[in-house]
């Protein structure tokens, strides 16, 4: 979890530099700057043990964006994500029983950078660090011993998407919407894929 905060601090430093730079540059009539909060929902695929399971998931993001010149937007964000009722893969044990691998909450910190296709449309990519709580469980057949292990695993995330400003620069709290894909690779050789939509507010 400490690494999440270190990534977030570095990303905030980058976006603060961008925020300072935008004071002496044109904003090009865009609202893609300042603090933002958003709600996210979409598809969640958890991959483990050579299997995958698809579920509905949801979460939230808080971030800060600054602008460099007329078209470049850079910022930092922290995120939370979970599948509805969690996400789990189960397979048969070698000598009977079943082995189940479950994923719980994911926390992330990332740097996001994008290009304004128009003052209302941002095309962005992002990358950062994630921590995921997981559980492995073996339900043993008669004569064998079951086990249960709960742990946290870290990894990285990469992704990208498109964001659209629903209100103009003159709004005090601009509303925006986005769609994005995010891939998370965890250190225990498991992974997560998300295709999600978001709706948020900016505070300039």
């Amino acid at each position: 979890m400490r690494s999440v905060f270190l990534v977030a601090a570095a990303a905030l430093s980058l976006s603060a530099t961008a925020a300072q730079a935008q004071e002496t540059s044109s904003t090009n009539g865009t609202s893609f700057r300042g603090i933002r909060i958003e709600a996210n929902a979409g598809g969640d695929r958890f991959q483990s043990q050579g299997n995958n399971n698809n579920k509905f998931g949801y979460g939230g993001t808080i971030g800060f964006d600054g602008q460099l010149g007329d078209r470049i937007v850079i910022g930092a964000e922290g995120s939370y994500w979970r599948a509805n009722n969690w996400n789990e893969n189960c397979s048969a044990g070698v000598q009977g029983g079943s082995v189940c691998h479950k994923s719980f909450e994911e926390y992330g910190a990332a740097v996001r950078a994008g290009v304004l296709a128009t003052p209302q449309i941002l095309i962005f990519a992002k990358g950062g660090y994630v921590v995921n709580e997981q559980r492995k469980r073996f339900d043993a057949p008669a004569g064998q011993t079951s086990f249960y292990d709960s742990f946290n695993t870290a990894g990285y995330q990469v992704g990208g998407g498109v964001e659209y400003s629903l209100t103009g620069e003159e709004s005090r709290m601009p509303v925006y919407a986005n769609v994005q894909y995010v891939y998370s690779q965890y250190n225990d050789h498991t992974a997560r894929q998300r295709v999600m939509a978001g709706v948020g507010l900016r505070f300039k």
Side-chain angles (χ1 to χ4, degrees):
M1 188 65 71
R2 180 183 176 188
S3 297
V4 171
F5 293 116
L6 290 175
V7 171
L12 283 171
S13 177
L14 285 172
S15 55
T17 301
Q20 291 173 357
Q22 78 179 18
E23 292 180 359
T24 59
S25 66
S26 169
T27 61
N28 201 29
T30 187
S31 62
F32 290 103
R33 61 185 189 277
I35 297 171
R36 60 186 175 89
I37 58 172
E38 70 181 67
N40 305 111
D44 178 270
R45 170 174 285 189
F46 178 56
Q47 300 166 224
S48 66
Q49 304 174 179
N51 299 318
N52 63 75
N53 191 40
N54 300 321
K55 298 195 73 173
F56 173 77
Y58 55 89
T61 304
I62 182 168
F64 180 84
D65 291 321
Q67 192 175 341
L68 292 174
D70 288 337
R71 299 187 62 195
I72 304 300
V73 175
I74 186 168
E77 66 177 33
S79 61
Y80 168 83
W81 180 262
R82 56 166 289 175
N84 188 42
N85 294 323
W86 317 123
N87 204 338
E88 185 174 37
N89 293 312
C90 292
S91 57
V94 176
Q95 298 180 338
S98 62
V99 179
C100 294
H101 200 158
K102 181 176 283 190
S103 173
F104 296 92
E105 294 102 341
E106 180 190 279
Y107 296 90
V111 175
R112 190 176 84 151
V115 176
L116 291 168
T118 74
Q120 289 76 39
I121 299 176
L122 175 70
I123 301 171
F124 65 88
K126 66 181 182 181
Y129 185 86
V130 289
V131 174
N132 182 223
E133 181 185 356
Q134 296 185 6
R135 182 188 72 190
K136 291 197 77 170
R137 185 183 81 248
F138 175 53
D139 295 324
Q144 297 184 37
T145 302
S146 299
F147 73 81
Y148 175 102
D149 183 23
S150 181
F151 57 94
N152 289 327
T153 183
Y156 66 87
Q157 64 169 315
V158 293
V162 179
E163 194 162 285
Y164 179 73
S165 179
L166 299 172
T167 55
E169 181 188 19
E170 68 281 354
S171 175
R172 294 188 63 184
M173 288 193 299
V175 179
Y176 67 90
N178 60 36
V179 291
Q180 58 182 307
Y181 167 82
V182 181
Y183 174 82
S184 299
Q185 176 68 55
Y186 307 123
N187 290 336
D188 63 343
H189 306 293
T190 62
R192 159 169 276 110
Q193 297 185 64
R194 287 178 278 160
V195 177
M196 58 186 181
V199 177
L201 289 173
R202 290 185 181 274
F203 304 87
K204 297 189 293 181

